Amino acid sequence: MSKQNITDPKFVQERITELRCARDVSEYRLSKDLGYSKGYIQSISSGKTFPSITALYEICDYFKITPKEFFDDESAPDSELLHNLILEIRSLPVEEQYFLYHFLLARKDRKSKS
């Protein structure tokens, strides 16, 4: 993640547009789904407005990505499934996380030997 991206309005505009287009969501629909006026996302995309922190978090939630994934233009965001798996793993006690980790390692070893 580049520190420049965090404060670069052009990056934010382009990233929102990229996320919208990848999911076939119009500016109008995104604005309305987030509870803003119909032209809110268009005003961000055109550079007239910069989203607040709250709005940026709402946009990330809408697209099921983290703020880190929003600003990290060098890696693709995790799939929704992987994101949900990570949340579930984090909620496990440490002992169960270790069990799961070793289970996956053993599975990987079995596959590589076959």
Side-chain angles (χ1 to χ4, degrees):
M1 174 183 353
S2 167
K3 287 184 180 181
Q4 178 183 358
N5 292 349
I6 293 172
T7 58
D8 181 4
K10 189 76 172 160
F11 174 84
V12 173
Q13 295 164 12
E14 291 172 358
R15 185 69 170 123
I16 291 171
T17 300
E18 175 187 320
L19 290 166
R20 275 189 327 89
C21 292
R23 289 160 179 88
D24 197 29
V25 176
S26 70
E27 291 174 336
Y28 174 79
R29 179 172 161 210
L30 180 56
S31 294
K32 296 307 276 180
D33 286 351
L34 293 174
Y36 292 100
S37 67
K38 64 182 180 178
Y40 180 67
I41 296 299
Q42 193 281 328
S43 69
I44 292 171
S45 297
S46 67
K48 294 177 186 173
T49 304
F50 195 76
S52 68
I53 294 293
T54 301
L56 194 55
Y57 273 96
E58 290 169 347
I59 291 166
C60 290
D61 285 346
Y62 184 89
F63 290 115
K64 295 181 171 69
I65 62 172
T66 65
K68 181 184 183 305
E69 291 169 327
F70 181 92
F71 287 106
D72 189 356
D73 58 345
E74 295 179 13
S75 67
D78 292 337
S79 69
E80 184 176 351
L81 174 61
L82 183 55
H83 180 75
N84 290 336
L85 282 168
I86 291 168
L87 292 175
E88 289 301 319
I89 291 168
R90 285 183 179 151
S91 71
L92 294 173
V94 174
E95 299 81 22
E96 291 182 25
Q97 290 178 12
Y98 277 114
F99 176 81
L100 181 59
Y101 173 71
H102 289 290
F103 170 79
L104 293 171
L105 284 179
R107 186 175 179 275
K108 181 179 172 185
D109 286 342
R110 279 195 309 264
K111 278 190 167 190
S112 66
K113 290 179 183 176
S114 18

